[in-house]
Amino acid sequence: MNKLLLLIAAAFLFASCGSSSPQEPIRLQGKAQGTYYTIVYYDSLSRNFQPQVDSMLQAFDQVASLWVDSSEIQRLNRNETSVVSPTMRDLLEKSFAMNAYTDGAFNVFVGPLVAAWGFSFKEREELTEQRIAELLRYSHGHYDISQNAAGQIEFTKEYPAMQVDFNAIAQGYVVDQIAAWLRKQGIGSYLVDVGGEVIAKGLKPDGTHWSVGVERPADDKDDAPEIQAVIALDNMSVVTSGNYRKYYEKDGVRYSHTIDPATGRPVEHSLLSVSVIDPESWRADALATAFMVMGLERSLQFIESHPQNPAVFFIYDQDGEYATYATPEFQELIIE
Ligand code: AMP
Ligand code: MG
């Protein structure tokens, strides 16, 4: 996914690649999930993990990427198979849990709607009320995950036309996977960024935290990014969802790539971006998307009524001006 929503603060932008001193960061970069990734870490053994990281990302793309034609998600969507891998099962179960948790705002079955509104690989369809109602049915069909007689895990769905879209959770998920793998290698200080979904842990050798900039919404999707706030992260992930990089305009109306699963239409409200901080990146990713669906007021009600108040930062439009609101948990982490 091509969304540069978060910028990594200057602190490590100057990091050099494959350095030999343990006091200098090692920086890996490449492409995955239709986007870029950057990983920076300190290692007393100066190991270069590029090959391992690349193969992890490739393996993940083979499961969950809509950009890989032969991926497991594509084969499931084309109904070529119903048996799922452990990673696919985990992604599906986490997605369904978030669907319940967000009262339906997060819904990976919006796939056919995302495509129909022109946000995947096809041009936008001419959409009638009837067609939207039909596609909505596919977002709310029944599904099941169970073990078959051969002991395999099977994912079954009510309509063959039901299609899964992990774009709102997959990057966060793979960020967690890479972070866990780095910890296993004994890396105590790292930052992992896949397409703007970031996780960081530990202090840098100079004793400072990893810092991450949250981008100010751009007026135009091609505008150069500017930083709205800088936050310090330790053992936390920050994910931003926004409507200002991925949209299209038709007859003066901006259509967002976030689909409201209640209406089957792109969301239309004053919320421009939502950043969520959570220990788990997949959760932050799914929640940020869900808040974009809910809009500011419903999101604030949701945060109030859920005991483990997440750290959330909203940027919204107020009479043509940018306004921001940070929950106290988020505010605490802002350093600039
Ligand atoms: P994100 O940038 O994480 O908010 O993800 C946005 C992407 O998730 C979109 O481009 C769609 O592919 C997909 N999507 C859109 N609406 C939803 C929704 N309500 N629930 C889950 N995924 C969605
Ligand atoms: Mg998301």
Side-chain angles (χ1 to χ4, degrees):
M1 237 180 335
N2 189 17
K3 52 172 199 177
L4 269 163
L5 294 177
L6 286 163
L7 286 182
I8 296 139
F12 67 86
L13 278 177
F14 305 105
S16 62
C17 188
S19 99
S20 54
S21 154
Q23 292 305 301
E24 282 184 38
I26 299 174
R27 185 181 168 91
L28 313 177
Q29 275 179 309
K31 283 195 140 193
Q33 280 281 316
T35 183
Y36 73 94
Y37 72 83
T38 305
I39 296 166
V40 193
Y41 57 94
Y42 290 90
D43 179 21
S44 56
L45 303 172
S46 300
R47 288 167 292 178
N48 181 341
F49 293 130
Q50 186 92 47
Q52 294 95 322
V53 164
D54 279 336
S55 65
M56 238 182 333
L57 284 163
Q58 258 173 28
F60 185 72
D61 274 2
Q62 274 303 329
V63 175
S65 178
L66 291 173
W67 282 266
V68 177
D69 203 47
S70 59
S71 67
E72 190 178 348
I73 187 175
Q74 290 282 37
R75 284 181 289 118
L76 278 179
N77 282 345
R78 292 194 296 259
N79 302 296
E80 291 168 11
T81 179
S82 57
V83 174
V84 294
S85 65
T87 301
M88 175 58 74
R89 178 189 188 173
D90 194 34
L91 271 164
L92 288 168
E93 286 177 346
K94 285 184 160 60
S95 298
F96 299 147
M98 287 314 281
N99 177 258
Y101 185 67
T102 63
D103 303 321
F106 180 84
N107 181 339
V108 287
F109 288 126
V110 293
L113 283 161
V114 172
W117 283 101
F119 288 107
S120 57
F121 305 95
K122 295 191 296 185
E123 287 288 298
R124 182 185 157 176
E125 280 179 32
E126 271 314 315
L127 281 167
T128 58
E129 290 295 330
Q130 203 184 356
R131 178 77 176 135
I132 292 173
E134 181 195 344
L135 296 175
L136 260 177
R137 230 177 336 128
Y138 305 146
S139 300
H140 298 279
H142 298 299
Y143 57 84
D144 189 38
I145 298 175
S146 54
Q147 198 164 326
N148 66 18
Q152 298 163 315
I153 302 301
E154 269 196 276
F155 168 57
T156 48
K157 47 195 187 179
E158 187 176 3
Y159 309 107
M162 286 168 73
Q163 304 223 323
V164 173
D165 175 336
F166 285 135
N167 284 345
I169 191 172
Q171 286 174 10
Y173 189 93
V174 79
V175 160
D176 290 328
Q177 271 197 342
I178 294 170
W181 187 85
L182 286 172
R183 285 196 300 277
K184 249 202 201 149
Q185 312 314 309
I187 303 296
S189 176
Y190 57 76
L191 180 143
V192 177
D193 171 357
V194 178
E197 337 293 59
V198 181
I199 204 161
K201 184 175 188 297
L203 298 175
K204 290 182 276 181
D206 65 2
T208 60
H209 281 106
W210 295 98
S211 53
V212 175
V214 175
E215 192 187 329
R216 176 175 308 166
D219 290 328
D220 189 272
K221 55 186 160 198
D222 299 320
D223 285 357
E226 281 180 69
I227 300 289
Q228 177 80 38
V230 178
I231 51 175
L233 281 187
D234 188 8
N235 229 352
M236 285 287 165
S237 168
V238 62
V239 174
T240 299
S241 267
N243 273 341
Y244 52 94
R245 290 255 176 240
K246 270 206 156 180
Y247 64 84
Y248 64 81
E249 275 182 6
K250 191 169 181 245
D251 304 329
V253 179
R254 242 184 216 204
Y255 290 91
S256 143
H257 71 135
T258 311
I259 304 290
D260 184 344
T263 64
R265 295 169 184 281
V267 295
E268 268 179 70
H269 45 59
S270 60
L271 201 47
L272 299 168
S273 89
V274 183
S275 302
V276 177
I277 297 177
D278 192 276
E280 309 229 41
S281 196
W282 69 268
R283 251 184 125 257
D285 199 354
L287 271 176
T289 303
F291 289 140
M292 278 312 296
V293 171
M294 293 180 205
L296 183 62
E297 270 175 40
R298 260 181 70 207
S299 296
L300 293 177
Q301 285 165 9
F302 180 93
I303 289 167
E304 208 166 287
S305 61
H306 287 74
Q308 66 283 45
N309 280 358
V312 191
F313 182 60
F314 299 93
I315 306 179
Y316 56 99
D317 179 297
Q318 197 169 45
D319 307 321
E321 303 281 331
Y322 291 140
T324 62
Y325 172 74
T327 64
E329 291 80 2
F330 194 101
Q331 190 69 46
E332 264 174 34
L333 300 170
I334 296 181
I335 51 176
E336 270 174 45

